[in-house]
Amino acid sequence: MIQLILGNKGKGKTKVLLDRANTEIKTAHGSIVYLDKNAKHMYELNNRVRLIDMSGFDLKSSEEFIGFIYGIISQDHDLEQLYLDSFLTIAKADSPAAANTILDSLHGIGEKFHLSFIISISLQADDIDPKFKENIITEL
């Protein structure tokens, strides 16, 4: 399953994402992973949430990003939720169409492995594929 937090840059999407991760870890039965473009928010996350600083990985394409996600899943058998901040940057999505393709892949991965992706993305609802409109939890 995917859940989307939408809005322009600087509107507070990261704060919403951080708050949600910190709230969810209190009742999570499995692990939670938070991917971000840097380690800037390390001290804002509960220490039980695993932060992955994506700047240390030289991913060049969205296909490599999806492979990276599979790698995380393969190493964490009780993974419950993945939080993806700065989605367009870390997923190597250079257009709304590319972002929608990646969201489609993540939706399938979530269904297959029974995990949730909570995604902060700098797009508006009009840019999102209509099949994902019901997955929008916040629009700023």
Side-chain angles (χ1 to χ4, degrees), residues 71-133:
I72 293 169
I73 294 167
S74 73
Q75 293 298 307
D76 194 344
H77 299 289
D78 67 343
L79 184 61
E80 196 171 300
Q81 297 177 345
L82 279 107
Y83 288 79
L84 309 178
D85 199 4
S86 303
F87 179 74
L88 297 176
T89 301
I90 67 172
K92 305 301 179 192
D94 57 1
S95 69
N100 283 309
T101 300
I102 300 165
L103 289 175
D104 201 34
S105 294
L106 293 177
H107 176 72
I109 293 168
E111 293 288 315
K112 181 175 183 178
F113 293 101
H114 308 290
L115 53 92
S116 297
F117 291 94
I118 300 86
I119 302 168
S120 162
I121 184 167
S122 295
L123 293 176
Q124 298 300 315
D126 293 343
D127 298 321
I128 299 296
D129 190 312
K131 68 182 170 187
F132 296 123
K133 298 282 185 182

Side-chain angles (χ1 to χ4, degrees), residues 36-82:
D36 202 349
K37 65 182 176 185
N38 57 42
K40 178 180 173 182
H41 302 292
M42 179 187 330
Y43 299 109
E44 296 173 61
L45 277 172
N46 182 301
N47 64 351
R48 290 180 44 217
V49 176
R50 179 178 170 209
L51 173 68
I52 298 177
D53 173 3
M54 295 297 292
S55 67
F57 301 93
D58 190 25
L59 302 182
K60 297 191 180 353
S61 69
S62 58
E63 290 83 10
E64 288 183 5
F65 173 74
I66 295 298
F68 188 85
I69 296 295
Y70 276 119
I72 293 169
I73 294 167
S74 73
Q75 293 298 307
D76 194 344
H77 299 289
D78 67 343
L79 184 61
E80 196 171 300
Q81 297 177 345
L82 279 107

